Amino acid sequence: MKKIVIALGGNALGNTPEEQLELVKTTAKNIVDLVEVGNRVIVTHGNGPQVGMINLAMEVSHQEIESPEMPFAECGAMSQGYIGYHLQQSIQREILKRGMRRNCLTVVTQVEVDKDDPAFKNPTKPIGTFYTKEEADKLALEKGYTMKEDAGRGYRRVVPSPKPQKIVEIKTIKDLINKGNIVIACGGGGIPVVKYRNGYKGVDAVIDKDRTSARLAIDLKADVLLILTAVDQVAINYKEEDEQKLRTMTIKEAKEFIAAKEFAEGSMLPKVEACIDFASKTSKGYAMITSLKKAKLALEGKTGTIIRKK
């Protein structure tokens, strides 16, 4: 029996509630496959399209009917809740279909960040809708937003992406796992919060979900950090004639590939970095990157890319 932290990429979810409900059916089957053979499973997930949709809806509502402004941290909490709800439903249906006895639940999770993290001085994570240059300048002036041009498609608000320091609800998550529950936690990288003398306060930021997944796997002393994405294996010379798929990487090899800029920023790079983080801090476990459909085969050693210390 292994304790596995599964980090679901955006391809496992959808861009609309209807699309997501359909896609999570397949996601649930793959998760329950791993539970059925005796593994303890903890699920994390991205929330990029979903939190952007919620944030935009709140902005439009505020502009058109003067509803209260909704802070970005609260939008992140909403996305955690509704993605977790969809995952819970699909996993619960799959469990019942197989005659299994397991509970599944979502923990709306806060993740502490350092208020002095350099990321707060250099916002990089795009959120919400696209604007013209004139609209962006107006928002920057009126609301104090940082607006940046995004890949020639227009201007978007950008927020900081600080590193996760501590998962606030980690003790609760541990208790739930130890009692045999399937736990969904740290959605979208967690709700970023800063600790003050009288408690925590949410901040406008987005934590990289793979970094938080690694932090969670370390804290739980997981056997495997399983990052699920759109490809079966990590490759160097990606999409070139001499593309080479990798079955294994040591931390040293992974760092050499990073130095050679083999992995794209905002795509494979943060996944490999998260794997390095976990692999460097575990004595018995390993990290793996593969596709959702091949998760079970990967854990059987038949595909995927494994990242180990040596």
Side-chain angles (χ1 to χ4, degrees):
M1 181 182 71
K2 292 180 178 177
K3 189 185 296 181
I4 305 171
V5 172
I6 300 175
L8 296 174
N11 59 302
L13 302 169
N15 292 303
T16 67
E18 294 79 15
E19 184 182 355
Q20 181 171 294
L21 268 172
E22 191 59 36
L23 285 173
V24 294
K25 292 177 185 176
T26 302
T27 304
K29 288 177 183 176
N30 286 278
I31 290 170
V32 178
D33 281 346
L34 300 181
V35 175
E36 193 171 30
V37 294
N39 296 301
R40 291 185 182 181
V41 170
I42 308 94
V43 181
T44 70
H45 59 80
N47 72 343
Q50 296 83 2
V51 75
M53 176 183 68
I54 292 167
N55 185 242
L56 175 59
M58 294 300 174
E59 282 185 2
V60 171
S61 175
H62 174 67
Q63 291 163 5
E64 294 190 358
I65 62 173
E66 297 184 353
S67 63
E69 286 191 271
M70 188 64 64
F72 190 73
E74 276 73 359
C75 294
M78 291 178 189
S79 72
Q80 278 195 26
Y82 106 76
I83 294 170
Y85 157 65
H86 281 179
L87 284 168
Q88 280 175 217
Q89 279 198 337
S90 291
I91 290 169
Q92 286 162 346
R93 286 195 190 104
E94 193 65 27
I95 287 170
L96 286 171
K97 190 188 298 182
R98 302 187 194 195
M100 297 166 60
R101 289 191 176 184
R102 283 294 177 92
N103 294 318
C104 175
L105 75 165
T106 300
V107 178
V108 176
T109 317
Q110 303 171 91
V111 175
E112 185 179 335
V113 298
D114 184 350
K115 63 181 176 61
D116 296 319
D117 190 308
F120 284 109
K121 294 182 180 178
N122 181 34
T124 57
K125 182 70 175 177
I127 61 167
T129 191
F130 291 91
Y131 297 95
T132 65
K133 178 72 165 60
E134 292 74 21
E135 290 170 334
D137 288 343
K138 185 179 179 183
L139 280 169
L141 184 64
E142 291 179 354
K143 296 182 178 292
Y145 290 171
T146 301
M147 309 294 289
K148 290 186 180 179
E149 195 271 336
D150 185 0
R153 296 174 293 176
Y155 287 76
R156 295 174 78 188
R157 180 187 176 191
V158 290
V159 297
S161 187
K163 293 180 180 178
Q165 301 294 323
K166 176 186 173 183
I167 296 167
V168 177
E169 288 80 14
I170 189 64
K171 289 182 180 179
T172 300
I173 295 168
K174 284 180 180 178
D175 288 345
L176 291 167
I177 294 161
N178 290 338
K179 290 176 181 176
N181 299 290
I182 301 168
V183 179
I184 302 159
C186 298
I191 304 161
V193 295
V194 169
K195 190 173 185 178
Y196 293 94
R197 190 175 299 174
N198 61 344
Y200 291 100
K201 183 179 179 181
V203 292
D204 288 352
V206 174
I207 306 169
D208 181 83
K209 70 145 177 79
D210 295 315
R211 284 186 182 275
T212 299
S213 299
R215 178 73 264 162
L216 180 63
I218 292 163
D219 290 347
L220 294 176
K221 295 182 171 59
D223 299 290
V224 184
L225 169 61
L226 181 60
I227 296 182
L228 302 181
T229 185
V231 296
D232 296 344
Q233 292 179 290
V234 179
I236 55 174
N237 305 317
Y238 184 59
K239 290 189 175 180
E240 302 293 334
E241 287 185 8
D242 57 345
E243 177 179 301
Q244 179 185 347
K245 292 183 178 180
L246 304 171
R247 282 289 291 117
T248 63
M249 281 189 287
T250 63
I251 290 175
K252 182 175 181 292
E253 288 169 338
K255 287 181 176 178
E256 288 171 354
F257 289 138
I258 289 172
K261 299 190 182 300
E262 287 286 356
F263 308 128
E265 290 186 19
S267 179
M268 190 56 71
L269 178 60
K271 293 172 176 56
V272 173
E273 289 177 333
C275 289
I276 290 171
D277 189 24
F278 174 69
S280 67
K281 294 181 175 67
T282 180
S283 58
K284 58 174 182 174
Y286 61 89
M288 177 178 284
I289 299 173
T290 192
S291 65
L292 174 66
K293 291 181 180 179
K294 299 291 180 69
K296 189 176 179 183
L297 287 174
L299 287 168
E300 292 170 354
K302 297 174 182 176
T303 188
T305 300
I306 293 174
I307 297 91
R308 297 184 186 272
K309 272 186 180 176
K310 297 180 182 179

